[in-house]
Structure formats: structure tokens, C-alpha cells
Amino acid sequence: MPGGFRVCSVRTMRIRSTARSRLLVVAGALLTTIGLTAGSALPAVACPPPVTTYVALGDSYAAGQATDCTHTRSSYPRRLDALRSVRLVRDVACAGATTADVAGSQLWALNRGVRLVTVTVGANDLDVSGLAAICTTTPTSCDAAIAARQALLPALGLSLAHLYGRIAAKAPGAKILVTGYPALFDTGPLVAAQGALNQTISGAVAAVAAGGAHIRYVHVQFTGHTVDSAHPWFHLSGPNAFHPTPPGDRAFACALRAAL
């Protein structure tokens, strides 16, 4: 009968539709399982770390030598540049640079794309190397020489804070790492004098950081390797006297790397 034929066709269509739906579900589950298995077998893709654009500012301790504006391969900026995540784009550190020199002739190297700035400056404002020479060769003049330099510390602190503020303004997206100076001697009058210099530097950093700048003081130690030790990390004579040797440069780089 025509009516019976139509009922049979509807049932057949329903059966086929149900079977097709079940087949699609099974196929989808199978593909999902295969995909998950295949995906889990693929090696993880390691994304390279972002590269930090870096500018180095400062004096001879940053340049790696004490005579001119060249930069030694052992200097701490070059050591930081060897890190995969850091790219030194400009190194304008210069031997003999004072705070005023950095402000006047090095800040051109900064721009809004810089993400890391290191600064080592302040010792030449007080002629610390000359002070060390006085205290080692004519100890009777040491106390007076120290007193004369200590009188300059308040003004130095203001100059440093002004400099750090200008750096932050020129490179607003950068982390600014400011180093102190490692102690030249383990004992003697210069220990307190150099400690006062580092306190002045760290105090200026703290003042600028309180204003919102991304700046940090980095303490550098040559523990067991001062001038009066058996294995100093300072040159003891020649044009680089009282400046770090390559192991000393490495100590600077390690301290800065830990602060990154």
C-alpha cells in the first residue's frame, strides 16, 4: 500500500540518520584522540627570551680601563652583552668621567626604546684614586684629604639625583641599575670614606626611586680581594692602579646580572 510504503521510508530514514549521527560522533572522538596523541608527541617549542636593549654610562670602572674612552673586552658592559637576553646598543662610558660629564656628554645615547641602563659614576667627583694614592704614600695627609672630600658629599648627592632623574626621563621604559664602588681596602681610614661615597650614591638612587623611577642600587663587593689582600681584584700599579682587573670586572657583571 502507498501508505505502508511511506511509513517504511520514514523509519528507514530515521534509522539511517541515527546511524550517521553515531558514526560522526565516533569519528569525531577518534580524530580528537588522534589529535591529542599526535600533539603530545610533538616537541615543545621554546620561545627565545625577549632581548633587552642596553646602554652603558659611566666612568673608568664601566669602561674597563683608566686612560681614555675605549672599552676593554673584560669590562662589565661587554660581559652583560654576552648574555643571550641582553644587547648592548651603546657603550659611552669614559675614563675620568664625572657626574657632570655623564650628564653633559653621555645622555645622548638614551632613547625611549632602551630597556636597561647601567651607571657607575661619582668617584671622580671626589678623586677617589688620588685619595687612595695619598693615603698609601703619605699617610699623614690621609685624614685631611678624606675630610676635604667628605665635605663634597652633599653636593654630589644632589648632582647624582639630578642625573638619575634625567636618565629616567630620557629612557622611561628602562630599568636603571646604579653601581657603587667595591672597597679598595679591608681596613684603614679609606673604608669609612668609601662607604660614605656608596651611601651617597644609594641615597640618591632611593630619592629618585621614591618619585616613581625604575631605578635600583647595586652593591658590588670584592670580599677577600681588596688591595691589601693576598689576591686583589685591583691593579696595584700602572695607569690602571686602583681599578678592577678582569676578575673584578666579572664581579661587577655578576652583581648586575643578579639584579636584572
Side-chain angles (χ1 to χ4, degrees), residues 135-165:
C135 291
T136 54
T137 58
T138 55
T140 55
S141 302
C142 184
D143 289 343
I146 289 174
R149 286 159 174 79
Q150 286 180 328
L152 302 175
L153 288 177
L156 175 60
L158 293 175
S159 296
L160 288 171
H162 180 66
L163 171 65
Y164 302 152

Side-chain angles (χ1 to χ4, degrees), residues 12-173:
T12 302
M13 290 174 64
R14 287 176 178 172
I15 292 171
R16 289 177 177 174
S17 177
T18 301
R20 187 181 299 112
S21 298
R22 290 175 178 172
L23 181 61
L24 290 174
V25 170
V26 172
L30 181 60
L31 289 174
T32 300
T33 302
I34 293 173
L36 289 173
T37 303
S40 62
L42 293 175
V45 178
C47 295
V51 175
T52 300
T53 51
Y54 166 38
V55 170
L57 310 175
D59 57 24
S60 53
Y61 273 52
Q65 49 77 39
T67 58
D68 54 33
C69 295
T70 60
H71 311 107
T72 65
R73 295 180 65 180
S74 72
S75 66
Y76 74 71
R78 301 307 167 104
R79 291 176 183 271
L80 292 177
D81 184 48
L83 300 175
R84 292 182 61 187
S85 59
V86 175
R87 179 166 61 91
L88 181 64
V89 292
R90 293 186 182 92
D91 184 354
V92 291
C94 187
T98 63
T99 302
D101 292 328
V102 173
S105 62
Q106 296 185 16
L107 298 190
W108 66 266
L110 302 175
N111 58 56
R112 300 182 69 87
V114 176
R115 291 296 177 265
L116 173 64
V117 180
T118 60
V119 188
T120 302
V121 73
N124 288 320
D125 293 70
L126 306 180
D127 187 21
V128 171
S129 291
L131 176 61
I134 290 172
C135 291
T136 54
T137 58
T138 55
T140 55
S141 302
C142 184
D143 289 343
I146 289 174
R149 286 159 174 79
Q150 286 180 328
L152 302 175
L153 288 177
L156 175 60
L158 293 175
S159 296
L160 288 171
H162 180 66
L163 171 65
Y164 302 152
R166 289 186 62 188
I167 292 172
K170 285 184 167 290

Side-chain angles (χ1 to χ4, degrees), residues 121 157 160 164 178-181 195-209 215-219:
V121 73
L160 288 171
Y164 302 152
V178 177
T179 76
Y181 293 87
L197 169 60
N198 284 337
Q199 288 176 1
T200 300
I201 295 171
S202 62
V205 168
V208 175
I215 186 169
R216 178 178 175 181
Y217 175 76
V218 178
H219 183 55

